């Protein structure tokens, strides 16, 4: 999914160049932050739910598998 996001971001930034240096800088910063932190958020959220006993582990595995399968299928169809 990160590779897909990277290619779309690069294509968009090449087709629509930013008008000033500040826009370019903010665009790169947002790209770096989202690329680095989005894979960390799902496991952290799942860990928090398990620690607070809001969702048990047996219900979380199918959700994670569904997210993984959806991501792979979406990537393969493009």
């Amino acid at each position: 999914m990160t590779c897909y996001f990277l290619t779309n971001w690069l294509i968009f930034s090449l087709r629509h160049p930013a008008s000033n240096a500040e826009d370019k800088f903010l665009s790169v910063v947002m790209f770096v932050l989202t690329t680095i932190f989005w894979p960390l958020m799902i496991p952290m959220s799942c860990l928090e739910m398990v620690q607070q006993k809001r969702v048990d582990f047996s219900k979380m595995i199918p959700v994670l598998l569904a997210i993984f399968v959806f991501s792979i299928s979406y990537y393969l169809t493009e």
Side-chain angles (χ1 to χ4, degrees), residues 1-19:
M1 201 67 169
T2 303
C3 293
Y4 178 74
F5 181 67
L6 171 66
T7 56
N8 280 339
W9 179 78
L10 286 174
I11 289 169
F12 179 80
S13 63
L14 291 175
R15 288 185 184 166
H16 307 285
S19 60

Side-chain angles (χ1 to χ4, degrees), residues 8-49:
N8 280 339
W9 179 78
L10 286 174
I11 289 169
F12 179 80
S13 63
L14 291 175
R15 288 185 184 166
H16 307 285
S19 60
N20 57 20
E22 183 182 357
D23 289 342
K24 289 180 184 178
F25 175 74
L26 290 175
S27 177
V28 170
V29 167
M30 287 305 296
F31 169 74
V32 169
L33 288 176
T34 55
T35 303
I36 290 172
F37 290 120
W38 84 263
L40 299 175
M41 293 312 296
I42 293 175
M44 288 173 54
S45 297
C46 292
L47 182 65
E48 180 183 344
M49 286 189 294

